[in-house]
Amino acid sequence: MYTNASLKEIRAAYAQQLLPQLVTAVVIIDDNLNIQYLNSSAEALFSKSLNRLYQKAFLDIFTHCSITGERLKQVLLTGQDFTDSDVVLEFIENYHITIEVTASAALFNDRDHILLECKQIDKQKQISAEVFQEQQWEAARDLIRGLAHEIKNPLGGLRGAAQLLDKELNPDQQEFTSMIIEQADRLTNLVDRLLGPNQLPNLELHNIHEILEKVRQLVSLDNAKHIDMLRDYDPSIPDIEIDTEKLQQSLLNIIRNATQILDESGVITLKTRIATNQTINGKQVKLAVKISIIDNGPGIPAEIQDTIFYPMVSGRADGTGLGLSIAQTLIHQHKGKLACHSYPGRTEFTILLPLPKRV
């Protein structure tokens, strides 16, 4: 039979050893929001040790955090816990993670503190979002294909009738039939663009950087704002099977979107890396080429970020909303993935292209 004193000792011994071994990342910050403790999981999550972060302001270790200092201090003022299941942390080293956070008031050494329990949810969120977006994207494309074919059929008849009528009219009246033919052709062209490219890619081994350089040169020729274009390439990336024209078109669509929204102080960075253990369209891929197009513009409006790749969705008043949709289709044809992460001051489009298994 254990006594209360012995159970208290057992509880204290386990409590002392448990915190460092928890899979959940635990962060303790004081009433000034300075870091007082990180367990091992938190050190791994932030890629920094307690030695480096002790007494540092918690929010200062990020370039962007979706939790504000005021919200954290409310925990101390009210004593009420909160849980946020979608917290984005952008680090100074230009990488970001999404975490679920529970913040609660705690007392250490007779002083009020905030206990943060953090769990990284990037993988789960990414897989769920990809499945949902894939379903919505396919549904939108099927709807547009159906509508486009229904529109094209009467347009062809309208144009043919106008051509026949044109032969019966005098030159003064032919102006109106010419207008009908011209507008029918314009609508047919728009419908063809909505349907997107249907031809399968012609895959051949190419160096990804040669394509990026060609795209960079093409954009530079039409760069009235003198936007800086920086390169951060990984020269060790091997040749990959791609359709050069289709990939070039995808990159041009993304980069031109950025140039249209940036001002003279704008910077676009083209970056390549090898990415490991990626989930692409629901499949696990061990090795992939990662192409990043990063700009320092105002960001994509939050209300359209989940639908930015849908046809006819645009963040610009004069945009057609077809460029990114076509880019998405072309990347899908390469069995790749196009994704976007954006907030004011930084927008990053990421293309993942699987590398074939080496024999």
Side-chain angles (χ1 to χ4, degrees), residues 83-241:
T83 298
D84 193 327
S85 60
D86 192 15
V87 177
V88 178
L89 303 178
E90 190 86 25
F91 291 86
I92 296 168
E93 296 82 2
N94 287 332
Y95 73 94
H96 65 272
I97 59 174
T98 306
I99 61 173
E100 180 181 89
V101 175
T102 297
S104 52
L107 198 65
F108 293 98
N109 300 323
D110 297 323
R111 185 178 171 186
D112 289 332
H113 289 70
I114 302 171
L115 175 67
L116 301 176
E117 299 170 69
C118 311
K119 181 183 178 183
Q120 189 169 0
I121 58 170
D122 292 81
K123 284 291 182 185
Q124 301 94 305
K125 185 182 177 185
Q126 176 188 343
I127 292 170
S128 298
E130 280 183 4
V131 170
F132 176 75
Q133 288 177 1
E134 184 76 14
Q135 292 171 344
Q136 295 296 309
W137 185 72
E138 287 294 341
R141 288 203 62 77
D142 287 344
L143 175 63
I144 286 170
R145 284 194 184 102
L147 287 172
H149 286 300
E150 289 299 318
I151 293 169
K152 283 188 77 172
N153 289 335
L155 273 178
L158 184 69
R159 190 183 192 283
Q163 285 179 314
L164 290 173
L165 183 60
D166 185 73
K167 296 176 182 178
E168 305 296 326
L169 300 177
N170 60 52
D172 291 337
Q173 295 171 318
Q174 285 174 345
E175 174 188 352
F176 302 106
T177 53
S178 296
M179 186 182 299
I180 294 171
I181 293 169
E182 180 185 333
Q183 292 304 309
D185 288 342
R186 186 182 67 83
L187 287 173
T188 301
N189 181 53
L190 176 62
V191 169
D192 287 337
R193 291 180 66 198
L194 277 171
L195 287 170
N198 292 315
Q199 295 175 339
L200 292 176
N202 180 25
L203 300 177
E204 294 179 351
L205 280 174
H206 285 282
N207 186 302
I208 196 71
H209 298 123
E210 291 180 2
I211 299 169
L212 283 166
E213 281 300 288
K214 187 171 183 180
V215 169
R216 193 181 70 85
Q217 290 170 1
L218 287 170
V219 174
S220 298
L221 292 173
D222 184 23
N223 187 10
K225 299 177 186 175
H226 304 291
I227 294 167
D228 287 334
M229 294 193 66
L230 307 181
R231 290 167 285 183
D232 182 4
Y233 296 160
D234 178 358
S236 69
I237 293 176
D239 290 355
I240 183 173
E241 284 190 336

Side-chain angles (χ1 to χ4, degrees), residues 329-346:
T329 301
L330 295 173
I331 297 302
H332 267 251
Q333 290 178 350
H334 284 80
K335 302 188 186 306
K337 181 176 75 172
L338 175 60
C340 177
H341 175 67
S342 179
Y343 61 87
R346 181 182 173 88

Side-chain angles (χ1 to χ4, degrees), residues 31-33 68-78 114:
D31 51 359
N32 292 318
L33 305 187
T68 63
E70 290 76 14
R71 190 179 182 192
L72 290 171
K73 288 189 175 181
Q74 279 294 315
V75 174
L76 295 176
L77 292 172
T78 64
I114 302 171

